[in-house]
């Protein structure tokens, strides 16, 4: 029984440590949003022209109607947006962990914010 308690305590401590690290990363990303003069993804509204910054979480090739389409998820600590480049199989530098600034007209698909063929700037 003492082992179960100590295991539970350890799990809770590890969860708090992990959550704190994720919260710290989100705070850091939000400071970067302010520093670059971009808009937070959570504040972006559909049908508006937006300038967003964040870190690429995932990159996937998903053909749409037989046309290649490169999809990436950009996260800024407040939310995520899906970036879709139609007709592209790959873009050099667009990879998980990469920081970037994107611009374009925001739309939604199934309540998910999406930018089609956004202008982008890779950051170091």
């Amino acid at each position: 029984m003492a082992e179960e308690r100590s295991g539970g305590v350890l799990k809770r401590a590890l969860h708090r440590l992990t959550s704190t690290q994720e919260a710290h990363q989100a705070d850091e990303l939000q400071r970067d949003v302010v520093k670059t003069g971009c808009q937070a993804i959570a504040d972006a509204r559909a049908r508006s022209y937006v300038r967003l910054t964040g870190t690429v979480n995932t990159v996937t090739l998903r053909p749409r109607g037989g046309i290649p389409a490169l999809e990436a998820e950009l996260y800024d600590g407040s939310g995520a947006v899906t970036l879709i480049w139609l007709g592209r199989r790959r873009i050099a530098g667009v990879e998980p962990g990469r920081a970037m600034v994107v611009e374009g007209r925001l739309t939604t698909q199934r309540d998910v914010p999406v930018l089609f063929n956004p202008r982008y700037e890779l950051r170091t």
Side-chain angles (χ1 to χ4, degrees):
M1 186 145 165
E3 287 181 21
E4 288 179 22
R5 285 187 198 154
S6 66
V9 170
L10 183 59
K11 284 182 184 178
R12 284 192 301 274
L14 183 58
H15 176 71
R16 279 194 305 267
L17 181 62
T18 305
S19 296
T20 303
Q21 185 177 11
E22 290 171 0
H24 177 70
Q25 287 175 328
D27 288 343
E28 193 174 307
L29 287 168
Q30 279 297 285
R31 282 191 296 275
D32 197 39
V33 167
V34 172
K35 187 172 98 178
T36 58
C38 292
Q39 181 177 14
I41 293 170
D43 296 337
R45 298 292 164 238
R47 296 184 298 273
S48 63
Y49 190 85
V50 296
R51 184 170 188 263
L52 309 169
T53 189
T55 301
V56 176
N57 280 341
T58 60
V59 178
T60 311
L61 179 62
R62 283 186 218 257
R64 291 175 168 258
I67 298 171
L70 185 68
E71 289 189 14
E73 181 187 73
L74 187 72
Y75 175 71
D76 77 347
S78 74
V81 63
T82 301
L83 311 173
I84 301 174
W85 287 275
L86 299 171
R88 304 292 297 263
R89 294 182 189 279
R90 181 171 128 50
I91 298 174
V94 176
E95 55 198 28
R98 186 65 183 251
M100 60 191 307
V101 174
V102 295
E103 293 182 50
R105 181 82 48 198
L106 188 69
T107 187
T108 58
Q109 289 187 337
R110 297 183 189 110
D111 295 326
V112 174
V114 177
L115 283 175
F116 282 96
N117 298 319
R119 292 182 186 177
Y120 65 94
E121 173 188 328
L122 301 174
R123 301 183 63 218
T124 55

XYZ file of all heavy atoms in Angstrom, residues 25-121:
747
model
N 6.681 26.720 -22.135
C 6.884 26.816 -23.583
C 5.792 27.663 -24.221
O 6.067 28.472 -25.110
C 6.908 25.429 -24.211
C 8.165 24.658 -23.910
C 8.113 23.233 -24.433
O 7.049 22.613 -24.482
N 9.265 22.708 -24.820
N 4.544 27.491 -23.784
C 3.436 28.282 -24.332
C 3.635 29.758 -24.017
O 3.418 30.621 -24.878
C 2.105 27.785 -23.779
N 4.072 30.072 -22.792
C 4.338 31.470 -22.418
C 5.450 32.061 -23.280
O 5.361 33.205 -23.723
C 4.726 31.574 -20.946
C 3.555 31.337 -20.006
O 2.393 31.402 -20.464
O 3.809 31.069 -18.815
N 6.483 31.274 -23.517
C 7.602 31.735 -24.339
C 7.141 32.024 -25.775
O 7.518 33.041 -26.368
C 8.699 30.675 -24.347
C 10.008 31.148 -24.898
C 11.098 30.106 -24.736
O 11.305 29.623 -23.611
O 11.742 29.787 -25.754
N 6.308 31.150 -26.312
C 5.781 31.357 -27.664
C 4.909 32.610 -27.712
O 4.958 33.377 -28.679
C 4.998 30.138 -28.135
C 5.826 28.913 -28.507
C 4.941 27.691 -28.680
C 6.638 29.167 -29.762
N 4.114 32.850 -26.678
C 3.262 34.034 -26.649
C 4.097 35.313 -26.556
O 3.740 36.324 -27.163
C 2.289 33.954 -25.473
C 1.081 33.087 -25.762
C 0.253 33.668 -26.887
O -0.455 34.655 -26.695
N 0.332 33.063 -28.068
N 5.206 35.277 -25.827
C 6.100 36.442 -25.786
C 6.675 36.710 -27.179
O 6.842 37.857 -27.584
C 7.221 36.233 -24.768
C 6.784 36.447 -23.328
C 7.953 36.510 -22.365
N 8.696 35.264 -22.285
C 8.373 34.233 -21.498
N 7.320 34.301 -20.728
N 9.115 33.140 -21.483
N 6.964 35.658 -27.915
C 7.487 35.803 -29.273
C 6.441 36.430 -30.196
O 6.777 37.209 -31.075
C 7.939 34.437 -29.799
C 8.852 34.563 -31.002
O 9.695 35.486 -31.019
O 8.718 33.732 -31.928
N 5.166 36.074 -29.981
C 4.077 36.668 -30.775
C 4.088 38.181 -30.596
O 4.031 38.945 -31.570
C 2.705 36.077 -30.369
C 1.557 36.893 -30.952
C 2.591 34.620 -30.799
N 4.177 38.622 -29.360
C 4.188 40.062 -29.062
C 5.430 40.714 -29.652
O 5.356 41.776 -30.278
C 4.108 40.302 -27.535
C 4.307 41.768 -27.195
C 2.778 39.795 -26.994
N 6.574 40.069 -29.464
C 7.853 40.621 -29.939
C 7.870 40.816 -31.454
O 8.418 41.806 -31.953
C 8.996 39.692 -29.511
C 10.380 40.224 -29.783
C 11.426 39.333 -29.161
C 11.965 38.394 -30.212
N 13.020 37.510 -29.728
N 7.260 39.904 -32.201
C 7.271 39.992 -33.663
C 6.139 40.858 -34.215
O 6.061 41.078 -35.417
C 7.164 38.594 -34.297
O 5.976 37.965 -33.841
C 8.382 37.747 -33.979
N 5.243 41.319 -33.333
C 4.133 42.150 -33.781
C 3.041 41.369 -34.485
O 2.240 41.936 -35.231
N 2.992 40.070 -34.250
C 1.974 39.224 -34.863
C 0.741 39.130 -33.967
O 0.735 39.599 -32.836
C 2.534 37.826 -35.120
S 3.813 37.797 -36.384
N -0.269 38.512 -34.500
C -1.517 38.292 -33.788
C -1.504 36.890 -33.189
O -0.957 35.966 -33.784
C -2.651 38.428 -34.805
C -4.027 38.266 -34.275
C -5.069 38.496 -35.362
O -4.759 38.519 -36.551
N -6.298 38.647 -34.964
N -2.106 36.718 -32.021
C -2.233 35.386 -31.420
C -3.247 34.575 -32.232
O -4.272 35.113 -32.667
C -2.684 35.493 -29.973
N -2.969 33.305 -32.424
C -3.880 32.442 -33.191
C -5.257 32.419 -32.545
O -6.272 32.448 -33.240
C -3.286 31.025 -33.343
C -2.038 31.082 -34.242
C -4.321 30.052 -33.899
C -1.227 29.798 -34.288
N -5.318 32.393 -31.225
C -6.609 32.363 -30.525
C -7.450 33.602 -30.810
O -8.682 33.554 -30.747
C -6.388 32.213 -29.026
N -6.809 34.716 -31.138
C -7.525 35.969 -31.414
C -7.862 36.150 -32.884
O -8.588 37.075 -33.239
C -6.689 37.167 -30.952
C -6.468 37.169 -29.452
O -7.272 36.555 -28.718
O -5.459 37.772 -29.006
N -7.317 35.313 -33.749
C -7.534 35.451 -35.196
C -8.966 35.069 -35.559
O -9.503 34.087 -35.042
C -6.546 34.583 -35.953
N -9.568 35.821 -36.433
C -10.955 35.588 -36.842
C -11.035 35.184 -38.315
O -10.279 35.698 -39.143
C -11.804 36.843 -36.625
C -11.882 37.253 -35.178
C -12.682 36.232 -34.354
N -12.457 36.419 -32.942
C -11.982 35.491 -32.121
N -11.671 34.304 -32.571
N -11.806 35.736 -30.850
N -11.970 34.303 -38.597
C -12.172 33.819 -39.968
C -12.449 34.988 -40.909
O -13.050 35.984 -40.521
C -13.325 32.828 -40.010
N -11.990 34.838 -42.128
C -12.165 35.802 -43.218
C -11.355 37.084 -43.036
O -11.560 38.061 -43.741
C -13.639 36.120 -43.458
C -14.440 34.928 -43.923
C -15.870 35.266 -44.258
N -16.640 35.770 -43.142
C -17.299 35.020 -42.263
N -17.270 33.719 -42.374
N -17.989 35.572 -41.298
N -10.435 37.092 -42.071
C -9.594 38.276 -41.901
C -8.178 37.953 -42.367
O -7.773 36.789 -42.397
C -9.589 38.736 -40.439
O -9.029 37.748 -39.606
N -7.462 39.004 -42.746
C -6.065 38.837 -43.135
C -5.253 38.817 -41.852
O -5.382 39.718 -41.015
C -5.617 39.979 -44.055
C -4.275 39.721 -44.681
C -4.184 38.975 -45.853
C -3.112 40.183 -44.098
C -2.952 38.710 -46.435
C -1.870 39.926 -44.668
C -1.805 39.191 -45.832
O -0.581 38.928 -46.395
N -4.428 37.793 -41.674
C -3.693 37.628 -40.421
C -2.197 37.484 -40.668
O -1.763 37.067 -41.739
C -4.199 36.400 -39.628
C -5.642 36.589 -39.199
C -4.038 35.117 -40.426
N -1.434 37.849 -39.643
C 0.017 37.622 -39.602
C 0.269 36.890 -38.289
O 0.018 37.432 -37.209
C 0.771 38.941 -39.644
C 2.273 38.779 -39.708
C 2.942 40.135 -39.997
N 4.349 39.945 -40.250
C 5.300 40.095 -39.336
N 4.985 40.466 -38.106
N 6.564 39.891 -39.645
N 0.720 35.642 -38.396
C 0.869 34.771 -37.238
C 2.298 34.248 -37.154
O 2.983 34.139 -38.167
C -0.084 33.573 -37.349
C -1.554 33.881 -37.639
C -2.311 32.608 -37.978
C -2.186 34.588 -36.461
N 2.724 33.903 -35.958
C 4.021 33.277 -35.767
C 3.868 32.128 -34.787
O 2.938 32.103 -33.994
C 5.082 34.279 -35.263
O 6.361 33.656 -35.303
C 4.786 34.762 -33.869
N 4.766 31.171 -34.873
C 4.720 30.035 -33.975
C 5.731 28.986 -34.397
O 6.632 29.255 -35.189
N 5.536 27.789 -33.853
C 6.417 26.664 -34.136
C 5.625 25.574 -34.845
O 4.496 25.279 -34.463
C 7.006 26.104 -32.816
O 7.714 27.152 -32.165
C 7.947 24.958 -33.080
N 6.226 24.983 -35.856
C 5.584 23.898 -36.605
C 5.588 22.635 -35.738
O 6.641 22.203 -35.281
C 6.310 23.640 -37.941
C 5.700 22.451 -38.660
C 6.278 24.878 -38.814
N 4.395 22.081 -35.505
C 4.282 20.834 -34.744
C 4.355 19.612 -35.646
O 5.047 18.656 -35.338
C 2.963 20.785 -33.963
C 3.020 21.574 -32.688
O 4.082 21.884 -32.175
N 1.862 21.910 -32.166
N 3.602 19.636 -36.746
C 3.545 18.487 -37.651
C 3.563 18.948 -39.098
O 3.127 20.051 -39.411
C 2.259 17.649 -37.440
O 1.123 18.475 -37.690
C 2.183 17.081 -36.037
N 4.056 18.075 -39.965
C 4.028 18.307 -41.408
C 3.562 17.010 -42.053
O 4.087 15.938 -41.751
C 5.423 18.692 -41.960
C 5.379 18.883 -43.467
C 5.938 19.952 -41.277
N 2.541 17.115 -42.926
C 1.942 15.935 -43.544
C 1.657 16.213 -45.013
O 1.248 17.315 -45.366
C 0.596 15.596 -42.853
O 0.774 15.587 -41.448
C 0.066 14.265 -43.293
N 1.844 15.210 -45.852
C 1.453 15.296 -47.260
C 0.076 14.666 -47.384
O -0.102 13.486 -47.096
C 2.453 14.560 -48.153
C 2.128 14.560 -49.650
C 2.104 15.981 -50.198
C 3.142 13.722 -50.405
N -0.934 15.470 -47.748
C -2.306 14.984 -47.900
C -2.856 15.460 -49.239
O -3.272 16.614 -49.355
C -3.206 15.550 -46.808
C -3.050 14.899 -45.493
C -4.097 15.468 -44.549
N -3.524 15.617 -43.243
C -3.759 14.790 -42.249
N -4.568 13.804 -42.415
N -3.204 14.976 -41.088
N -2.882 14.582 -50.222
C -3.446 14.982 -51.515
C -4.910 15.405 -51.375
O -5.653 14.840 -50.583
C -3.325 13.711 -52.355
C -2.266 12.901 -51.685
C -2.372 13.223 -50.226
N -5.297 16.426 -52.127
C -6.683 16.921 -52.138
C -7.168 16.888 -53.578
O -6.680 17.625 -54.414
C -6.751 18.353 -51.611
C -6.452 18.439 -50.136
C -6.404 19.897 -49.702
N -6.403 19.970 -48.264
C -7.474 20.271 -47.535
N -8.610 20.552 -48.106
N -7.388 20.301 -46.228
N -8.110 16.016 -53.829
C -8.660 15.905 -55.175
C -7.615 15.534 -56.198
O -7.651 16.029 -57.319
N -6.666 14.689 -55.823
C -5.626 14.258 -56.741
C -4.458 15.221 -56.869
O -3.504 14.957 -57.586
N -4.540 16.352 -56.176
C -3.472 17.346 -56.221
C -2.682 17.243 -54.924
O -3.265 17.180 -53.846
C -4.061 18.772 -56.346
C -4.833 18.896 -57.650
C -2.968 19.827 -56.256
C -5.621 20.178 -57.763
N -1.335 17.227 -55.000
C -0.570 17.169 -53.756
C -0.836 18.401 -52.899
O -1.049 19.499 -53.423
C 0.885 17.123 -54.216
C 0.885 17.506 -55.632
C -0.493 17.307 -56.175
N -0.848 18.207 -51.590
C -1.049 19.312 -50.657
C -0.206 19.061 -49.409
O -0.340 18.022 -48.765
C -2.514 19.450 -50.294
N 0.649 20.013 -49.098
C 1.475 19.915 -47.908
C 0.754 20.628 -46.771
O 0.370 21.792 -46.914
C 2.840 20.574 -48.149
C 3.842 20.444 -47.020
C 4.283 18.977 -46.875
C 5.043 21.330 -47.282
N 0.540 19.930 -45.659
C -0.134 20.505 -44.499
C 0.829 20.572 -43.332
O 1.592 19.642 -43.095
C -1.339 19.657 -44.079
C -2.490 19.722 -45.025
C -3.742 19.053 -44.475
O -3.807 18.769 -43.257
O -4.651 18.811 -45.263
N 0.767 21.675 -42.595
C 1.579 21.838 -41.393
C 0.713 22.461 -40.312
O -0.172 23.269 -40.605
C 2.784 22.731 -41.680
N 0.953 22.074 -39.074
C 0.251 22.690 -37.953
C 1.205 23.659 -37.279
O 2.306 23.290 -36.893
C -0.203 21.638 -36.953
C -0.971 22.268 -35.791
C -1.289 21.284 -34.698
O -0.342 20.898 -33.969
O -2.459 20.911 -34.587
N 0.767 24.917 -37.147
C 1.561 25.959 -36.505
C 0.940 26.266 -35.146
O -0.258 26.533 -35.054
C 1.576 27.224 -37.372
C 2.493 28.347 -36.915
C 3.953 27.979 -37.159
C 2.150 29.636 -37.639
N 1.753 26.233 -34.086
C 1.283 26.448 -32.715
C 1.995 27.655 -32.122
O 3.211 27.791 -32.269
C 1.576 25.196 -31.876
C 1.241 25.328 -30.419
C -0.078 25.369 -29.991
C 2.230 25.425 -29.463
C -0.395 25.493 -28.649
C 1.932 25.545 -28.117
C 0.606 25.577 -27.720
O 0.299 25.702 -26.381
N 1.226 28.530 -31.453
C 1.829 29.738 -30.878
C 1.646 29.876 -29.369
O 1.917 30.920 -28.795
C 1.296 30.990 -31.573
C -0.111 31.372 -31.133
O -0.797 30.553 -30.468
O -0.535 32.499 -31.456
N 1.189 28.835 -28.701
C 0.965 28.900 -27.263
C -0.464 29.241 -26.907
O -0.910 28.951 -25.806
N -1.198 29.878 -27.832
C -2.604 30.198 -27.586
C -3.532 29.291 -28.379
O -4.696 29.143 -28.052
C -2.905 31.648 -27.961
O -2.960 31.817 -29.374
N -3.012 28.700 -29.435
C -3.807 27.844 -30.298
C -2.984 27.386 -31.493
O -1.795 27.663 -31.583
N -3.653 26.690 -32.394
C -2.979 26.156 -33.579
C -3.772 26.510 -34.828
O -4.992 26.692 -34.779
C -2.826 24.642 -33.469
N -3.055 26.596 -35.937
C -3.657 26.846 -37.240
C -3.061 25.831 -38.220
O -1.886 25.479 -38.109
C -3.419 28.304 -37.713
C -1.955 28.590 -37.903
C -4.185 28.619 -38.989
N -3.886 25.362 -39.148
C -3.408 24.450 -40.179
C -2.998 25.265 -41.393
O -3.765 26.102 -41.878
C -4.500 23.436 -40.570
O -4.876 22.697 -39.397
C -4.011 22.478 -41.643
N -1.786 25.033 -41.869
C -1.270 25.692 -43.072
C -1.321 24.680 -44.203
O -0.856 23.554 -44.039
C 0.182 26.131 -42.844
C 0.467 26.902 -41.560
C 1.967 27.109 -41.399
C -0.278 28.217 -41.550
N -1.890 25.062 -45.351
C -2.006 24.141 -46.481
C -1.444 24.817 -47.726
O -1.916 25.874 -48.138
C -3.471 23.727 -46.731
C -4.044 23.050 -45.480
C -3.569 22.806 -47.951
C -5.522 22.729 -45.575
N -0.425 24.179 -48.293
C 0.135 24.642 -49.568
C -0.311 23.664 -50.641
O 0.135 22.515 -50.683
C 1.662 24.690 -49.504
C 2.189 25.811 -48.678
C 2.399 27.094 -49.079
C 2.608 25.751 -47.307
N 2.914 27.837 -48.050
C 3.052 27.037 -46.946
C 2.638 24.737 -46.340
C 3.525 27.340 -45.679
C 3.110 25.032 -45.073
C 3.545 26.312 -44.746
N -1.199 24.106 -51.525
C -1.701 23.259 -52.606
C -0.648 23.136 -53.698
O 0.051 24.099 -54.017
C -2.995 23.840 -53.178
C -4.144 23.945 -52.176
C -5.297 24.735 -52.785
C -4.604 22.570 -51.739
N -0.533 21.938 -54.248
C 0.412 21.702 -55.329
C 1.848 21.502 -54.858
O 2.758 21.461 -55.675
N 2.051 21.387 -53.566
C 3.403 21.215 -53.025
C 3.504 19.879 -52.305
O 2.627 19.498 -51.549
C 3.743 22.324 -52.020
C 3.625 23.739 -52.543
C 4.650 24.096 -53.602
N 6.015 24.049 -53.152
C 6.717 25.089 -52.752
N 6.189 26.289 -52.736
N 7.964 24.933 -52.375
N 4.597 19.189 -52.543
C 4.872 17.931 -51.838
C 5.825 18.162 -50.673
O 5.841 17.421 -49.709
C 5.490 16.908 -52.791
C 4.566 16.459 -53.879
C 5.238 15.410 -54.759
N 4.445 15.138 -55.924
C 3.397 14.328 -55.937
N 3.024 13.734 -54.840
N 2.710 14.136 -57.048
N 6.619 19.206 -50.806
C 7.633 19.499 -49.796
C 8.049 20.953 -49.938
O 8.058 21.494 -51.036
C 8.828 18.571 -50.037
C 9.965 18.707 -49.094
C 10.977 17.591 -49.312
N 12.340 18.010 -49.503
C 13.028 18.847 -48.753
N 12.463 19.449 -47.764
N 14.283 19.119 -49.000
N 8.399 21.581 -48.818
C 8.974 22.925 -48.830
C 10.202 22.873 -47.934
O 10.100 22.527 -46.748
C 7.976 23.990 -48.313
C 6.748 24.046 -49.212
C 8.660 25.356 -48.233
C 5.650 24.967 -48.714
N 11.339 23.175 -48.493
C 12.590 23.136 -47.727
C 12.477 24.021 -46.487
O 12.057 25.175 -46.572
C 13.755 23.593 -48.594
N 12.825 23.462 -45.334
C 12.806 24.219 -44.087
C 11.513 24.126 -43.300
O 11.490 24.432 -42.121
N 10.426 23.747 -43.959
C 9.164 23.588 -43.238
C 9.161 22.180 -42.653
O 8.935 21.196 -43.356
C 7.930 23.819 -44.154
C 6.644 23.542 -43.397
C 7.942 25.233 -44.696
N 9.482 22.117 -41.361
C 9.628 20.841 -40.675
C 9.272 21.027 -39.203
O 9.303 22.154 -38.698
C 11.055 20.335 -40.822
C 12.080 21.317 -40.348
C 13.476 21.023 -40.889
O 13.616 20.451 -41.968
O 14.423 21.392 -40.188
N 8.923 19.958 -38.520
C 8.565 20.068 -37.103
C 9.683 20.727 -36.293
O 10.867 20.472 -36.503
C 8.357 18.608 -36.669
C 7.950 17.916 -37.929
C 8.751 18.582 -39.015
N 9.269 21.617 -35.389
C 10.215 22.325 -34.539
C 10.688 23.650 -35.108
O 11.333 24.434 -34.415
N 10.357 23.929 -36.361
C 10.809 25.156 -37.019
C 9.899 26.322 -36.674
O 8.684 26.224 -36.711
C 10.814 24.952 -38.535
C 11.386 26.101 -39.326
C 12.877 26.252 -38.978
N 13.495 27.353 -39.627
C 14.370 27.221 -40.618
N 14.698 26.052 -41.077
N 14.910 28.293 -41.144
N 10.486 27.450 -36.333
C 9.734 28.672 -36.075
C 9.509 29.387 -37.404
O 10.379 29.387 -38.275
C 10.496 29.575 -35.116
N 8.328 29.961 -37.560
C 8.035 30.685 -38.792
C 6.962 31.742 -38.568
O 6.225 31.703 -37.587
C 7.639 29.718 -39.918
C 6.452 28.868 -39.680
S 6.213 27.540 -40.912
C 6.258 28.370 -42.443
N 6.918 32.697 -39.491
C 5.877 33.719 -39.541
C 5.100 33.456 -40.820
O 5.695 33.197 -41.871
C 6.480 35.146 -39.576
C 5.397 36.184 -39.771
C 7.272 35.423 -38.309
N 3.760 33.492 -40.731
C 2.924 33.264 -41.908
C 1.909 34.393 -42.039
O 1.534 35.018 -41.047
C 2.193 31.894 -41.839
C 3.182 30.755 -41.872
C 1.298 31.799 -40.625
N 1.478 34.643 -43.270
C 0.467 35.668 -43.550
C -0.516 35.132 -44.570
O -0.130 34.399 -45.479
C 1.110 36.920 -44.146
C 2.009 37.668 -43.225
C 2.562 38.924 -43.898
O 1.758 39.697 -44.461
O 3.785 39.100 -43.862
N -1.772 35.525 -44.425
C -2.778 35.142 -45.406
C -4.179 35.364 -44.887
O -4.386 35.871 -43.781
N -5.141 34.981 -45.705
C -6.561 35.105 -45.354
C -6.975 33.856 -44.590
O -6.866 32.748 -45.096
C -7.397 35.257 -46.625
C -8.863 35.412 -46.420
C -9.344 36.783 -46.086
N -8.817 37.803 -46.957
C -8.832 39.090 -46.636
N -9.346 39.486 -45.500
N -8.330 39.978 -47.445
N -7.451 34.037 -43.368
C -7.829 32.918 -42.508
C -9.225 32.413 -42.861
O -10.145 33.201 -43.066
C -7.796 33.345 -41.040
C -7.975 32.239 -40.023
C -6.760 31.317 -40.023
C -8.169 32.830 -38.635
N -9.349 31.110 -42.950
C -10.638 30.471 -43.158
C -10.773 29.366 -42.113
O -9.854 29.162 -41.318
C -10.755 29.915 -44.596
O -12.071 29.438 -44.806
C -9.759 28.813 -44.850
N -11.882 28.681 -42.098
C -12.046 27.551 -41.181
C -12.590 26.355 -41.946
O -13.341 26.512 -42.902
C -13.004 27.866 -40.011
O -14.264 28.249 -40.543
C -12.471 28.967 -39.130
N -12.187 25.185 -41.500
C -12.715 23.925 -42.015
C -13.004 23.063 -40.805
O -12.089 22.760 -40.029
C -11.717 23.224 -42.928
C -11.533 23.902 -44.246
C -10.670 23.072 -45.183
O -9.879 22.238 -44.767
N -10.823 23.328 -46.461
N -14.263 22.720 -40.625
C -14.686 21.938 -39.446
C -14.234 22.605 -38.157
O -13.685 21.974 -37.270
C -14.172 20.509 -39.535
C -14.716 19.750 -40.713
C -14.229 18.308 -40.710
N -14.602 17.700 -41.962
C -13.742 17.364 -42.908
N -12.456 17.562 -42.729
N -14.157 16.818 -44.024
N -14.430 23.909 -38.072
C -14.082 24.719 -36.899
C -12.588 24.768 -36.593
O -12.185 25.115 -35.486
C -14.854 24.248 -35.657
C -16.346 24.471 -35.809
O -16.733 25.463 -36.447
O -17.119 23.641 -35.292
N -11.748 24.415 -37.562
C -10.296 24.495 -37.401
C -9.798 25.655 -38.266
O -10.113 25.716 -39.461
C -9.614 23.172 -37.841
C -8.106 23.306 -37.803
C -10.088 22.020 -36.977
N -9.020 26.593 -37.695
C -8.500 27.685 -38.515
C -7.485 27.167 -39.545
O -6.654 26.319 -39.231
C -7.839 28.622 -37.510
C -7.685 27.855 -36.252
C -8.627 26.707 -36.295
N -7.608 27.688 -40.779
C -6.771 27.221 -41.886
C -6.296 28.411 -42.706
O -7.050 29.354 -42.961
C -7.567 26.259 -42.808
C -6.727 25.831 -44.002
C -8.073 25.052 -42.040
N -5.036 28.349 -43.140
C -4.486 29.304 -44.110
C -4.068 28.512 -45.341
O -3.257 27.588 -45.243
C -3.254 30.019 -43.553
C -3.466 31.124 -42.542
C -2.122 31.622 -42.020
C -4.242 32.266 -43.138
N -4.632 28.851 -46.505
C -4.246 28.209 -47.755
C -3.146 29.035 -48.412
O -3.249 30.258 -48.518
C -5.437 28.100 -48.711
C -6.371 26.987 -48.368
C -7.509 27.227 -47.612
C -6.115 25.687 -48.793
C -8.374 26.201 -47.294
C -6.981 24.652 -48.475
C -8.110 24.910 -47.717
N -2.103 28.346 -48.859
C -0.978 28.960 -49.560
C -0.491 30.244 -48.888
O -0.376 31.294 -49.535
C -1.345 29.231 -51.022
C -1.662 27.958 -51.767
O -0.993 26.945 -51.600
N -2.707 27.990 -52.570
N -0.194 30.169 -47.582
C 0.234 31.392 -46.898
C 1.625 31.842 -47.327
O 2.456 31.024 -47.727
C 0.256 30.980 -45.420
C 0.562 29.514 -45.465
C -0.158 29.008 -46.686
N 1.851 33.140 -47.264
C 3.222 33.636 -47.380
C 3.907 33.194 -46.104
O 3.283 33.185 -45.039
C 3.239 35.151 -47.467
C 2.657 35.666 -48.729
C 2.746 37.171 -48.748
N 2.056 37.651 -49.918
C 1.892 38.903 -50.211
N 2.359 39.842 -49.396
N 1.254 39.275 -51.294
N 5.175 32.892 -46.184
C 5.856 32.425 -44.976
C 7.300 32.905 -44.936
O 7.909 33.194 -45.957
C 5.818 30.899 -44.888
C 6.590 30.198 -45.979
C 7.909 29.805 -45.787
C 6.007 29.950 -47.221
C 8.617 29.182 -46.788
C 6.705 29.330 -48.223
C 8.018 28.940 -48.003
O 8.715 28.339 -49.011
N 7.774 33.013 -43.711
C 9.164 33.392 -43.461
C 9.687 32.422 -42.405
O 9.134 32.317 -41.313
C 9.211 34.812 -42.928
C 10.572 35.254 -42.471
C 10.502 36.618 -41.776
O 9.647 37.445 -42.134
O 11.325 36.823 -40.866
